[in-house]
């Protein structure tokens, strides 16, 4: 039976960590980046209705600071809570993404493994894989992994929870300065439980049942510009 991340324990306390990870620049180079601002007890709505996440979740301690970015290749949200704990949500566009070429008719486990390989080999390099297993989560079947990673000259531990929903790969991440396996799983499981797919586009009539998609290979510049406007990817 697959491990289940649906039920999670009370969030843990860990040493304060700064915002140390300029991650995923190869696929998520920012076309918009906003400085940190308190957003506690609010809901963050990702561009393109990719997801909405509850910033008042019990997983976060106190107010949170956000940094977001968006391109047609995907969107990214860094979250740092009042105790300096780092979380990240990436929504990666899989439709002809040149950085993650997919075999034709690739099944979900294959896609999840290819996404993890991209992150470990191209984004957060130099790490040592500690664990990798298929799990059940509130986002559906997912791949859970933990990598020992050098960050600012110190050893840190980066947890991944990767789920595929349609044409988007959701990559949830959490960083620890000291590896605590149960707390890592609980943190990522709670973040998944408080992430709603599809998300909401505030003040927009006619919400979609799925996120707004764009084909990265077969779309014209005009179509991409229209998508960015509709998705609020600015």
């Amino acid at each position: 039976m697959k491990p289940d991340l649906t039920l999670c324990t009370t969030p843990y306390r860990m040493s304060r960590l700064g915002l140390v990870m300029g991650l995923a620049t190869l696929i998520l180079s920012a076309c918009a980046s906003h400085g940190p601002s308190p957003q506690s007890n609010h809901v963050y709505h990702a561009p393109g209705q990719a997801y909405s996440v509850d910033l008042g979740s019990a997983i976060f301690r106190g107010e949170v600071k956000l940094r977001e970015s968006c391109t047609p290749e995907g969107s990214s949200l860094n979250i740092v809570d009042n105790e300096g704990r780092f979380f990240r949500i990436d929504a990666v566009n899989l439709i002809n993404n040149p950085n993650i070429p997919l075999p034709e008719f690739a099944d979900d486990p294959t896609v999840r493994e290819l996404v993890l390989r991209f992150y470990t080999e191209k984004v957060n390099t130099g790490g040592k894989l500690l664990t990798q297993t298929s799990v059940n989560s509130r986002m559906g079947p997912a791949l859970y992994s933990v990598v020992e990673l050098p960050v600012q000259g110190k050893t840190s531990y980066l947890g991944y929870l990767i789920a595929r929903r349609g044409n988007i790969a959701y990559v949830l991440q959490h960083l620890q300065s000291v590896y605590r396996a149960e707390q890592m799983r609980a943190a990522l499981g709670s973040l998944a439980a408080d992430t709603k797919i599809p998300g909401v586009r505030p003040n927009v009539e006619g919400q979609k049942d799925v996120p707004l998609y764009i084909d990265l290979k077969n779309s014209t510049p005009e179509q991409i510009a229209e998508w960015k406007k509709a998705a609020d990817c600015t």
Side-chain angles (χ1 to χ4, degrees):
M1 179 180 296
K2 294 181 180 178
D4 192 341
L5 293 185
T6 298
L7 300 178
C8 302
T9 60
T10 301
Y12 60 95
R13 180 184 182 90
M14 65 173 280
S15 302
R16 180 177 179 83
L17 288 171
L19 183 58
V20 296
M21 305 176 69
L23 307 179
T25 54
L26 291 177
I27 56 174
L28 300 174
S29 54
C31 64
S33 183
H34 306 291
S37 61
Q39 295 288 332
S40 184
N41 300 319
H42 290 79
V43 176
Y44 171 83
H45 303 294
Q49 210 176 318
Y51 64 89
S52 294
V53 60
D54 181 5
L55 299 177
S57 168
I59 192 62
F60 304 128
R61 298 294 181 87
E63 292 188 341
V64 297
K65 296 179 180 179
L66 307 179
R67 187 173 296 275
E68 62 177 345
S69 63
C70 178
T71 69
E73 288 78 10
S75 63
S76 182
L77 177 69
N78 288 353
I79 307 171
V80 179
D81 71 11
N82 199 45
E83 294 186 359
R85 301 182 308 152
F86 179 90
F87 301 84
R88 183 181 178 99
I89 302 175
D90 292 340
V92 183
N93 184 359
L94 296 173
I95 307 178
N96 290 317
N97 193 318
N99 295 295
I100 310 178
L102 302 179
E104 189 173 7
F105 305 118
D107 59 12
D108 286 357
T110 299
V111 172
R112 295 194 293 264
E113 290 184 7
L114 289 174
V115 171
L116 177 63
R117 183 183 303 174
F118 173 76
Y119 272 76
T120 56
E121 294 182 358
K122 302 295 184 180
V123 180
N124 304 312
T125 60
K128 176 184 177 182
L129 185 65
L130 299 182
T131 185
Q132 177 178 328
T133 184
S134 296
V135 298
N136 295 315
S137 77
R138 291 286 180 87
M139 299 178 73
L143 180 63
Y144 171 76
S145 178
V146 178
V147 176
E148 181 180 297
L149 194 69
V151 177
Q152 292 187 337
K154 299 181 180 180
T155 299
S156 296
Y157 301 88
L158 180 62
Y160 293 99
L161 184 67
I162 301 173
R164 179 190 187 183
R165 296 283 292 273
N167 293 313
I168 296 180
Y170 294 89
V171 186
L172 278 55
Q173 297 151 71
H174 177 48
L175 191 69
Q176 292 182 341
S177 60
V178 177
Y179 181 40
R180 298 181 174 90
E182 290 186 6
Q183 290 89 338
M184 180 72 83
R185 292 168 64 93
L188 290 170
S190 291
L191 186 58
D194 289 318
T195 301
K196 178 183 177 181
I197 303 170
V200 174
R201 291 184 295 163
N203 304 318
V204 174
E205 296 182 359
Q207 298 293 316
K208 304 294 185 181
D209 293 332
V210 295
L212 305 183
Y213 296 120
I214 185 70
D215 188 322
L216 297 173
K217 180 180 179 181
N218 298 309
S219 297
T220 66
E222 291 77 14
Q223 289 172 324
I224 291 177
E226 290 177 1
W227 176 88
K228 290 175 66 176
K229 182 178 179 180
D232 196 24
C233 181
T234 59

